[in-house]
Amino acid sequence: MSDQTQPGIVAAETTTPRRHPVQYRSLRTVQRVLDAASSLLGQMPLEDVTTARIATEAGLSIGALYRFFPDKQTIIDA
């Protein structure tokens, strides 16, 4: 057997937050994103939860969300 992956199988990549919050205000922003994601996941299936919905639920701009999280999966993992 070789060490190569089989055709058609994609290796899962782990993503990490873009930056780690330092200031209290940033910590609150990250917590708002996580709380909003948790709330939405309790209301609808994962496929219907988007970063735009998470940002709206958290009362943030999409840019503020992307400042700390590169994608939806990173939010879910956190």
Side-chain angles (χ1 to χ4, degrees):
M1 294 212 128
S2 69
D3 290 336
Q4 297 177 354
T5 58
Q6 296 175 353
I9 296 177
V10 178
E13 292 184 24
T14 56
T15 55
T16 58
R18 289 182 186 264
R19 50 174 58 186
H20 297 281
V22 176
Q23 296 181 347
Y24 177 71
R25 182 180 57 197
S26 297
L27 290 168
R28 280 193 343 224
T29 299
V30 168
Q31 191 58 51
R32 286 169 61 187
V33 169
L34 297 176
D35 290 344
S38 178
S39 174
L40 289 171
L41 286 170
Q43 300 171 26
M44 61 187 67
L46 176 62
E47 299 80 30
D48 292 343
V49 176
T50 64
T51 53
R53 279 192 171 156
I54 295 170
T56 301
E57 179 79 11
L60 301 169
S61 69
I62 193 73
L65 181 143
Y66 280 126
R67 184 172 195 184
F68 296 101
F69 299 98
D71 56 23
K72 177 176 83 169
Q73 189 59 51
T74 305
I75 298 168
I76 302 305
D77 292 345

